[in-house]
Each structure stands twice: as structure tokens, then as C-alpha cells.
Amino acid sequence: MQPSFYHEYPRIFSLETEVLDAAPGRLLLAASPFFPGGGGQLPDRGLLRWSGGEAVVAGFEIIEGRNWVLLRTRPEVAGKVEAVVDASFRCMMMEMHTYTHILNACVYQSFDGALVTGVQMNDDGTARMDFDLPDADNDKLRALEAPINAAIEKDLQVSDSYMPFVQAQGEPGLIRTRSVAPPPTADGMIRIIEIAGLDRQACGGTHLASTRGEKRLRIVKIDNKGRHNRRVRVALL
Ligand SMILES: [Zn+2]
């Protein structure tokens, strides 16, 4: 199994590569630094440069496991290109994504293994996480802001590894929800993100190398969404 470039090198934002295949408005690169989105994390932004031109990346489409880059224009491109990820956007996403793991860990530990029912990160430095918490006290949820930021301050190491999907399914808490966990790889493996001493869970996104990012996390609002769900709205500050 070959890990994705954005998993192996989440802090390399520019890559010289070449065009493997092309169709109107889309290109397939030999290696792509772009995270295509998923698990609540927004797709990367960026551009492609080549001798004589450049084009803004409009999105991505995974076809048969291959990450096509979509373009708004239809340039004639072949050979070498430079793929450039919008680093500040990716770094903000990695920070928010890492912090949502910490929020998730704190809820899981404080509320008897409560599971995630949804997560969405936004491009303005906010995010929401939904939890299956039918009887939760919202003040107790709000009070998690302190231990979340304490875990951020501790600068705990964040690492990834792979394990057989079948084994992960048998370990309680590793797969917090179907909507967040990544699909298994073709050879039946699943990616696990571990925050040292705090949390382990399946995830296919990009994260900080350790928990202390530039900003801290604020719990902005808690909404009751139906009888079972609590929506926790957070923001980087
Ligand atoms: Zn993650």
C-alpha cells in the first residue's frame, strides 16, 4: 500500500510532478500533494504551474482511486507541472482537524464513549461536531474547553499508522463513526491517528505533527439537534 502524498508529507506544499493523463477540465498527476477533502476536512486549494501558464485548482474527483485535479479552464498541458497547495489554508485545516480530535477525545472520555455523528470544518476557522449525547448537560460540555486547550498546550505528538480494518472494527472507540472514518484501503487496511497519551481513532485527514498549533480552541455554542444530537460549534482564536 502506497500512502497518499498528503499523508506522508503533510507539510510539503509544492511538488514538481508530471501530467499522467488529461481530459477537458481535468488532469491526473503522477503525484499529487492535494488533499481531496473528506471526513469533515475541506479539500485543498491551490494551483498548477507549467512552462507558459498556470491554472487555479477548482476541485478534485476520485475516480477508481485516482485523485483527478479539476480546473476551471481547459489548458493544453502535458509533461512537467508544479502543483502548489495553498499552505495557509491547509495549515488552518490541519490545526482545526487536530483540535477536533482533541474535542472528540474529551467528549468520548467524559461522556461514556459518546460517538460522533457528524463533523464539518469551515473555511473561516470554525467547525461543528455533532455527538450522540441524548442526556448531556450542556454546561459540562462547555467546560471541556479547558482540558481541550490544556491538551493543545501540552504539545502531544500526533502520529499515524495502519492496521487491518477488521482488527480496528474489534477495538472499541477506534472507529467513532462511519461518517468520519476513512474507507479501508484496497488491501484492507485503515489509517489510525494517535495523539500520544490522549486518543487513537481512524481518520483519513491531515493533522499537525503535535497538538500545539498557532491558535487555541473556543467552544462557541452548543445546540440541541433532535433528541439525540448535540452540535458543538467551535472556533480557532
Ligand atoms: Zn483526523
Side-chain angles (χ1 to χ4, degrees):
M1 183 205 64
Q2 178 71 33
S4 304
F5 186 90
Y6 52 82
H7 281 159
E8 207 165 3
Y9 307 105
R11 300 199 71 84
I12 294 183
F13 303 117
S14 173
L15 181 66
E16 192 168 290
T17 179
E18 56 188 298
V19 176
L20 277 189
D21 201 354
R26 65 177 62 199
L27 293 172
L28 183 66
L29 305 177
S32 172
F34 299 114
F35 176 69
Q41 182 179 338
L42 292 174
D44 275 336
R45 296 169 178 178
L47 51 85
L48 297 180
R49 281 196 200 111
W50 59 91
S51 172
E54 66 175 46
V56 173
V57 172
F60 307 96
E61 192 175 348
I62 311 280
I63 302 172
E64 292 170 354
R66 307 203 296 179
N67 184 8
W68 286 78
V69 178
L70 309 181
L71 304 172
R72 285 196 188 87
T73 52
R74 295 185 167 198
E76 293 283 327
V77 193
K80 282 188 177 163
V81 292
E82 185 188 9
V84 184
V85 177
D86 180 334
S88 65
F89 181 76
R90 162 75 77 77
C91 287
M92 189 267 279
M93 278 289 132
M94 291 201 292
E95 186 164 316
M96 177 59 93
H97 194 148
T98 304
Y99 292 178
T100 62
H101 278 244
I102 298 172
L103 165 64
N104 188 338
C106 289
V107 170
Y108 187 79
Q109 290 164 15
S110 303
F111 292 90
D112 200 23
L115 295 179
V116 178
T117 51
V119 58
Q120 184 59 56
M121 295 158 224
N122 305 314
D123 62 5
D124 61 354
T126 66
R128 63 170 171 79
M129 281 195 97
D130 294 345
F131 295 95
D132 183 12
L133 283 170
D135 304 311
D137 172 358
N138 285 353
D139 287 336
K140 192 178 164 193
L141 263 174
R142 249 176 240 114
L144 293 178
E145 192 176 282
I148 289 167
N149 285 292
I152 291 170
E153 291 291 344
K154 279 186 195 159
D155 205 21
L156 306 168
Q157 195 193 355
V158 181
S159 57
D160 69 345
S161 59
Y162 288 82
M163 68 161 26
F165 182 63
V166 178
Q167 188 187 334
Q169 281 179 310
E171 193 173 319
L174 218 44
I175 298 175
R176 299 278 162 85
T177 166
R178 278 173 196 277
S179 71
V180 174
T185 61
D187 49 1
M189 305 293 276
I190 194 165
R191 183 165 176 258
I192 306 295
I193 295 297
E194 177 165 7
I195 300 179
L198 182 73
D199 190 56
R200 283 174 82 227
Q201 64 172 287
C203 185
T206 62
H207 311 82
L208 300 176
S210 59
T211 56
R212 195 165 66 216
E214 285 178 16
K215 299 193 173 180
R216 298 297 173 262
L217 197 72
R218 186 164 161 219
I219 294 179
V220 178
K221 197 164 183 279
I222 295 165
D223 294 320
N224 296 346
K225 287 281 169 188
R227 225 156 52 86
H228 280 269
N229 281 305
R230 295 302 154 94
R231 175 162 294 176
V232 181
R233 295 181 188 276
V234 294
L236 298 172
L237 83 164

